[in-house]
Each structure stands twice: as structure tokens, then as C-alpha cells.
Amino acid sequence: MKVKYFAWVRERIGVDEETVEPPPAVTTIAELIGWLAARGDGYALAFDKPGVIRAAINRAHVSAETPIQGAREVAFFPPMTGG
């Protein structure tokens, strides 16, 4: 699946997108965040407070408990404020 990173999440990881193949045991957004966080220091820093990270699957906002099965694209970004 393609994973996209936005704003300070992207800055901490150092890439704006990548293609990943999580292991079969990774089935939800929360598990994907945990798996990504274990991939290196930049990922660990980006996902050190997973409760503040927002996610979208195929451009629709989703919760941490949302299954990732069938996702073509997952995006991670910080909370946004209006203005």
C-alpha cells in the first residue's frame, strides 16, 4: 500500500510517501502506526504520540481502530486547525 505523510509527520520521517507491505498481523491503523514507529528513529519520533496523529484511508478520515485491509492509500497527518 502507498503511505503518505503530511506536515510535521513528513518532516520527522524525511519522506512524503512510500510503498510498504506490513506483515499480516498488522490489521488496523493503530497497528500500522506501531509497526511504522518501529522502523527507525524518524518514524519513532513522528509517531511517539499516536493519539494526536490523524489518518485517512483512500482519502476518507478514519479512526485508529479502522481495518487497513484493502487500503490502496493511507495518509498520516497532524491535527488541523481552521483559519
Side-chain angles (χ1 to χ4, degrees):
M1 80 181 60
K2 183 183 289 188
V3 180
K4 293 185 172 191
Y5 307 103
F6 294 93
W8 56 256
V9 178
R10 176 185 60 225
E11 292 168 10
R12 291 174 181 172
I13 291 172
V15 298
D16 60 352
E17 70 179 53
E18 63 184 327
T19 300
V20 299
E21 262 190 69
V26 174
T27 62
T28 66
I29 289 291
E31 291 169 349
L32 181 60
I33 288 173
W35 179 75
L36 288 167
R39 295 181 72 202
D41 292 343
Y43 293 92
L45 182 60
F47 295 115
D48 69 338
K49 294 181 182 156
V52 302
I53 300 293
R54 302 297 181 250
I57 292 179
N58 303 334
R59 298 186 180 194
H61 289 156
V62 296
S63 72
E65 297 80 27
T66 303
I68 61 171
Q69 181 179 4
R72 294 179 313 279
E73 176 184 282
V74 176
F76 293 106
F77 46 92
M80 304 298 208
T81 58

